[in-house]
Structure formats: C-alpha cells, structure tokens
Amino acid sequence: MRLTKLEHAALVVDDSGDRLYVDPGKFTTPITESGGAIAVVITHQHDDHWTPEQLARIVEANPEVRIFGPAGVALAAADFPVETVSAGDTVEVGPFRLRFFGGRHAVIHASIPVIDNLGVLVNDALYYGGDSLILPDVTVDVLAAPVGAPWMKTSEAMDYVIGVAPRRAFPTHEMLLSRAGKDLFNTRLKWATEQGGGEYLPLEPGDTLDF
C-alpha cells in the first residue's frame, strides 16, 4: 500500500489502484483526479476535514464510492450517502479494513460545542485520529500525527506520539503553520517518535510512504 500525504489533514491510500481518501477539506487542493476511489473516511464535520465541493468531485468520478463518518458527519453531509460508524466498528471495503476509535473531538474552548470525531486504523497499520488525541490502544505501524491546531499544545502532541509509540510517524493538520512553525513541530515530534524507537518522516504534501 502507498500513502500519499495531501495538504492539511487529508491523505490518500492506494492499494493496486483502489483508493481510500481521508478528510478532504477546504485547506486541501481541489481533488480532481480521484479515479479508483472506493471509500472516503471523514473523521468529523469541520470544514477543514471535508467540504461538499471536495466530496462531490470524488462522488462524481466514483459513483459507487462508500463514505464513512460519525453521526455528526452524516447530518452535516446529508446530501451524500454517508454510512454512520461509531467507535468500535470495523468495516471492510475492497482491500481496506477500517477500524474506528474515539468518539469525541478535542475541546477547543468552553464556548464551542464538542462534536463527534472518530479516529481510523487502516489495515491494522496506519492510524489517523482526526481532531482527537485519544490513544488507540493498538500497535501502530504508521501514525499521522497532528502538529498544529487550536485544540492542541505542542506538549500534548509530543505526549500523544510518545503514548502511541508508532514505528513511523509523519505530520498532518499543519496548513495553519508557517514554515518556521512546521520546522519547530517536526523537531519536537521527531524527538517524541524516537523515544519509542520509531522513525519520524517530515512528509510534505505530495510525498509518499509505502507500508
């Protein structure tokens, strides 16, 4: 399988031409070449993780694509055939086995409602938690580690990576950061990944990783 990092929180996994998209949001370049998409996972309803325009482009190119998300996403994306999933669920689509974890978005501020959020483990190897730092309590080969968000401190991101102890980690959720901010987080999360004996890969949009 090959993972390609897209901008911000989005990524795509390819297995022999079958594609899984995760969190195609507003800070991600419009996805216009999505042929082969058989599944989309949307971790939560915030528009930096999905937009109707991004989803419509994928569905238009792949009418049979299956879309998965928590109940909040199913309500927000009511014009699309979203299949509701919950923490503890496992779904198999083509070559992809999807296991869902968590349930709630991290707290941004007391004035902002806490919404549904699910992390996803792909083929028991790649874990992406969406906007939550809940530990998945499974062995993780590749971790998509958030590096910049209004709901997170640097120390929390570091402790999350240490807690997961992945074999490999790469940055996600970083389009609100300057180049200097990205470099700082890469340094901190490299250290955190190495505490568990793992390797940190400072992937940029368009970079790939085989797993």
Side-chain angles (χ1 to χ4, degrees):
M1 286 181 294
R2 171 163 290 183
L3 175 150
T4 301
K5 174 182 166 56
L6 305 179
E7 294 91 352
H8 196 55
L11 57 89
V12 56
V13 179
D14 185 287
D15 187 334
S16 301
D18 289 329
R19 291 180 176 178
L20 163 68
Y21 282 87
V22 179
D23 281 3
K26 69 178 182 180
F27 298 138
T28 303
T29 298
I31 297 170
T32 58
E33 301 292 336
S34 64
I38 63 171
V40 178
V41 170
I42 301 171
T43 60
H44 63 285
Q45 67 201 62
H46 289 158
D47 62 3
D48 60 328
H49 292 256
W50 88 282
T51 66
E53 296 79 11
Q54 291 278 39
L55 203 51
R57 282 187 284 265
I58 295 172
V59 171
E60 182 178 1
N62 308 274
E64 302 301 316
V65 68
R66 295 176 68 184
I67 305 165
F68 302 96
V73 168
L75 288 173
D79 292 337
F80 299 92
V82 177
E83 300 178 42
T84 301
V85 287
S86 302
D89 288 350
T90 298
V91 177
E92 296 197 13
V93 187
F96 303 117
R97 182 171 187 259
L98 310 174
R99 296 175 60 191
F100 296 94
F101 295 80
R104 305 298 282 169
H105 193 288
V107 174
I108 302 172
H109 186 263
S111 65
I112 300 174
V114 177
I115 61 172
D116 295 333
N117 177 92
L118 289 174
V120 61
L121 180 69
V122 181
N123 289 0
D124 297 315
L126 165 67
Y127 185 73
Y128 169 61
D131 282 10
S132 171
L133 298 178
I134 294 175
L135 299 179
D137 195 28
V138 294
T139 299
V140 173
D141 180 18
V142 180
L143 175 67
V147 299
W151 45 268
M152 184 185 72
K153 297 188 297 185
T154 306
S155 60
E156 293 172 332
M158 295 171 70
D159 286 341
Y160 174 68
V161 173
I162 291 171
V164 176
R167 190 167 73 88
R168 292 175 288 179
F170 69 93
T172 189
H173 211 288
E174 83 284 46
M175 288 302 286
L176 298 182
L177 298 179
S178 66
R179 181 70 262 170
K182 291 181 182 182
D183 291 343
L184 185 150
F185 264 98
N186 282 336
T187 299
R188 297 288 184 261
L189 293 194
K190 179 178 185 294
W191 177 89
T193 305
E194 291 172 348
Q195 301 316 294
E199 178 185 12
Y200 185 76
L201 305 168
L203 301 185
E204 294 288 340
D207 288 348
T208 62
L209 171 64
D210 292 330
F211 67 100

